[in-house]
Amino acid sequence: MSSLNNTNTTLHLYNLNFTLSRQFLSLVIVFLTVFQNFSCNKKVKEKHFVIGFSQCTTHDVWRKYMQKEMERELAFHPEIKLIVKDAGLSSDKQIQQIKELMDEKVDILIATPAEAKPITPIIEEAYSKSFPVILVDRNILSKNYSAYIGASNYKVGLDAGAYANSLLKGYGNVLEIGGIDVGSSADIGRHNGFKDCLKQYPGIKYVARLSEDWDASPAEAEKDLTNQLIKNDDIHLIFTQNDRIGFGCYKVCKKLGIDKKIFIIGVDGLPGQEGGIDLVDRGILKATILYPTGGKEAIRTAVNILENQPYQKENQLYTSIIDSSNVRMMKLQSQKILSQQNDIERQQNILNEQIIIYNNQRTFNNILTIALLLVLLLGTAVFFSWRKNKRITKKLQTQNEEISRQSSQLIEMSAKTEEAHQARLNFFTNISHEFRTPLTLIFAPLGELIANTRIQQDTRQALQLIQRNVMRLYRLVNQLMDFRKIEFKKMKPHVSETDLVSFTKEIVDSFKVLAKNKNIDLQFITSERSLFVWVDTTMMDKVIFNVLSNAFKFTNDHGLIHVTISKTNDNALIRIEDDGIGMTKEVIDHAFEPFFQGEYENYKGTGLGLALSKELIELHHGSIIVKSQRRKGSTFEISLLPGNAHFEKSEFETNSNKETVINEDADIYTTDLYNINNIPAQSFGAVLPKYLTLLIIEDNQEMRDYLNSRLGTDYNIIEAADGNIALQNAFDSVPDLILCDIVIPGKNGLELTKIFKSDVRTSHIPVVLLTAKDQENQKIEGME
Ligand code: FRU
């Protein structure tokens, strides 16, 4: 039962595991789907573009302002990343950097070419390779770009010229000062515009142009300008290409003490301290031409291109002149713009912080949602598996109960079967016991009758036949009784030291007559003079006798039976070998089981002999085995231990138990078989009371009379001439035995037997079927 419970538990756990793993799998799928959704959302958010920005230089304040504008605009596009490369006003370096940006596969290229001509091919190359290219502030010499953003430098020059003319009222000498990037489109445009404008005013003389690096080496630039101003002491106006140069010029003029008489016009008009507006306001510059950076517009155009939105190729930004007439307003406006820009930056910082917080919270929320979802799903799974397990447990419980019920039923049934078996055995034992006395009483006078010399030969032969059969019956009865004793562990050996050689030889000798009659080669073989073993002689006698009888039973005339005594590993070995009909494997396997009958039609026995022999040998702690082959013969080997250490004290023969042995077991089926004159004759001639009743069912009057005459002396006889009377008598008198002819009127013998055996009143009564027909099928039917 416990193993059954274990199995159930395993089954239960297996089911639980299976349920959980199945539900867990579903959970994982759901989780993965949810996770994938989250990941997808994230992907959309995380998708970013890269803008590669090739700046001719990043060092001056105007360029810084441009970049600031770009970043401010990019703050609205967190998905866009900006990479800035500073060419340091070197075209070669800028070409290299643009190549690098292309290699990095930026999504869009923004460039402010240091010089127009050298940079044109690389911009065209990028454009031809499908990179969207935006030019800001400065242009190239071709139109192979996506968009241009910037004010007209030529117009800046024109405006500067016109303003100079108005300041000088048509007469004066002017100087132009630019940076070192003379090849840039800005420089070229401004220079051309200025010069073209002055052509209209013959009173204004364009004295010279200086190109200095005011951003990197202002001292040198100042020196050059000083020299120039000393050389040309009648200069009335200086046009500087940006406000920073203008401020530098002012400082030089101031040093020379000519600051009051020279007008300076700058370009850029940046807000902030020392920006162009501030310089005009302070009177340092006479005017500045507002030149927007285009940083914000460049980013907006880039976003449009990236998002496949419409955009314009040429985007001209507006310029305007700032002088004393509008500078206050411009300053105010620029201050306001600056403060607004500061506010925007602050807000953007706050926004960025908020975005970080929001992102963190979103991540946390996502995790929390997933966790909650998981908890919910797990909870559901646990609930369902709990419910399912509960159902399984209940089912298993019911099954367990059913199994327990069946097993107790089985126990009950087997107890009943055992009880029935015992009852049957008891019945046979009791009846065997009852048979012993009458058999003895038959046997004794029979012996005397046979010994009588006056009887005729054929009568003697008939009597001898009777005697042999009586002996057979007697043996059977004794075997049954012995077996019963063993079953109840009542039988104990009473061992004494015995010479196995002489003991066995004596038994073998007693079969000599039989062997002679059957022409069997019976031999007793041993190389031992004597071999002493501790045995219960009565038991050993029964065993050897039984095995030998078997050998004779299954050995045909002219066969051989050899009995060998030997010593192996100190054990004593009795080998009984025959060349008889042998046994099949199946018969060998069951040979020692009680009531087992081999399938030998002509050799039916009790099925007890070998079983009993085995039990008796085991009482001696010995062994009996059989080796056999069908049609080749059988060999039984009995092995006995040396010495007597294996016996209990109570198992040694004493005078008292010796007597008991004799009284109990000195019966005709063993030792007395070979000396039939030893049959007890104590009750010969005595008239016994009739204890038992026999029902004779026989339609033949003569046969009935004969049976009555032979059995009537010892038993009460009831007769029945047909089946119906027989039934009546059987139920009325419940006889101890029924002798029944098979062929009778009314119900026949087989039908009657069936009724007797199925009726509780008569089922215990042994029925002996009589028939003249010795047909196999009738025998089988009768047995059934
Ligand atoms: C800055 C700068 C500005 C000018 C622009 C022309 O590098 O010199 O001052 O307006 O470039 O491209």
Side-chain angles (χ1 to χ4, degrees), residues 56-57 60 62-63 89 137-138 153 181 184 186-187 190 215 241-244 267-268 291:
C56 55
T57 176
D60 64 76
W62 189 84
R63 301 272 157 205
L89 290 178
D137 158 42
R138 296 182 181 184
N153 283 295
D181 46 350
S184 76
D187 190 287
R190 289 173 191 181
D215 288 314
Q241 291 226 359
N242 62 47
D243 295 336
R244 300 187 306 284
V267 182
D268 283 348
Y291 183 75

Side-chain angles (χ1 to χ4, degrees), residues 418-613:
E418 178 58 24
E419 214 175 288
H421 172 72
Q422 290 304 330
R424 220 171 51 215
L425 263 178
N426 278 342
F427 168 75
F428 281 118
T429 314
N430 292 344
I431 212 162
S432 306
H433 205 264
E434 292 305 322
F435 274 141
R436 257 160 69 120
T437 311
L439 279 171
T440 313
L441 293 178
I442 298 167
F443 204 79
L446 255 180
E448 284 191 14
L449 279 173
I450 291 166
N452 192 336
T453 48
R454 282 174 298 171
I455 60 164
Q456 301 221 330
Q457 187 54 24
D458 53 346
T459 314
R460 174 170 287 108
Q461 275 172 0
L463 287 172
Q464 276 170 343
L465 180 72
I466 295 167
Q467 191 186 43
R468 275 202 299 281
N469 281 294
V470 168
M471 279 189 330
R472 231 178 123 201
L473 266 176
Y474 202 86
R475 204 160 58 233
L476 198 151
V477 162
N478 280 322
Q479 278 181 346
L480 253 174
M481 291 177 70
D482 280 354
F483 200 77
R484 195 84 189 114
K485 276 190 219 163
I486 286 175
E487 274 213 331
F488 281 101
K489 312 255 181 277
K490 278 188 189 162
M491 208 177 212
K492 267 195 166 198
H494 301 296
V495 296
S496 58
E497 199 171 24
T498 308
D499 175 17
L500 198 62
V501 174
S502 58
F503 177 78
T504 311
K505 189 175 182 303
E506 206 177 307
I507 302 172
V508 173
D509 284 348
S510 70
F511 280 89
K512 266 187 176 162
V513 180
L514 187 58
K516 204 177 165 201
N517 289 342
K518 289 184 82 179
N519 277 317
I520 284 175
D521 171 25
L522 174 68
Q523 285 189 37
F524 177 75
I525 305 159
T526 184
S527 56
E528 308 291 330
R529 276 187 137 200
S530 58
L531 184 55
F532 281 91
V533 283
W534 285 80
V535 291
D536 180 315
T537 48
T538 313
M539 290 182 184
M540 276 316 288
D541 186 89
K542 286 179 184 176
V543 172
I544 298 169
F545 176 79
N546 206 305
V547 178
L548 255 176
S549 302
N550 257 355
F552 273 93
K553 198 155 112 189
F554 295 112
T555 304
N556 296 324
D557 289 3
H558 305 286
L560 71 81
I561 295 173
H562 289 175
V563 181
T564 315
I565 302 286
S566 59
K567 222 171 134 181
T568 46
N569 300 335
D570 276 353
N571 281 7
L573 196 74
I574 309 162
R575 223 164 153 263
I576 297 164
E577 180 190 359
D578 67 61
D579 64 351
I581 62 165
M583 303 180 204
T584 59
K585 167 107 188 18
E586 208 227 320
V587 176
I588 295 171
D589 289 346
H590 301 282
F592 296 103
E593 287 173 15
F595 305 110
F596 176 76
Q597 307 265 6
E599 70 279 351
Y600 315 110
E601 292 304 337
N602 304 324
Y603 306 97
K604 289 278 182 225
T606 59
L608 270 178
L610 284 178
L612 184 65
S613 300

Side-chain angles (χ1 to χ4, degrees), residues 187-234:
D187 190 287
I188 295 166
R190 289 173 191 181
H191 173 73
N192 289 343
F194 187 63
K195 278 200 91 179
D196 286 352
C197 183
L198 291 185
K199 278 177 195 163
Q200 302 169 46
Y201 312 113
I204 296 175
K205 189 186 168 193
Y206 181 84
V207 178
R209 167 188 164 118
L210 289 181
S211 302
E212 301 290 349
D213 190 351
W214 288 89
D215 288 314
S217 24
E220 206 174 311
E222 282 177 14
K223 202 172 121 199
D224 286 350
L225 178 61
T226 307
N227 290 338
Q228 186 64 244
L229 286 175
I230 291 167
K231 201 170 81 183
N232 298 299
D233 57 353
D234 55 348

Side-chain angles (χ1 to χ4, degrees), residues 46-89:
E46 274 189 358
K47 185 181 169 192
H48 59 266
F49 296 111
V50 179
I51 297 176
F53 181 25
S54 169
Q55 216 3 342
C56 55
T57 176
T58 59
H59 286 108
D60 64 76
V61 64
W62 189 84
R63 301 272 157 205
K64 286 190 169 77
Y65 195 80
M66 180 196 252
Q67 199 166 317
K68 200 98 186 142
E69 266 189 27
M70 286 181 157
E71 283 165 4
R72 224 176 277 132
E73 189 60 27
L74 281 170
F76 299 109
H77 302 281
E79 75 276 16
I80 297 176
K81 186 181 169 192
L82 180 71
I83 299 173
V84 182
K85 291 202 187 254
D86 180 355
L89 290 178

Side-chain angles (χ1 to χ4, degrees), residues 11 136 188 204 219 324 467 494 627 648 723 779:
L11 188 73
V136 193
I188 295 166
I204 296 175
S324 53
Q467 191 186 43
H494 301 296
K627 296 170 191 163
E648 285 171 25
K779 274 192 196 170

Side-chain angles (χ1 to χ4, degrees), residues 741-755:
D741 190 9
I742 288 183
V743 189
I744 47 161
K747 288 192 164 38
N748 71 27
L750 296 172
E751 287 170 327
L752 282 174
T753 311
K754 226 175 250 175
I755 296 168

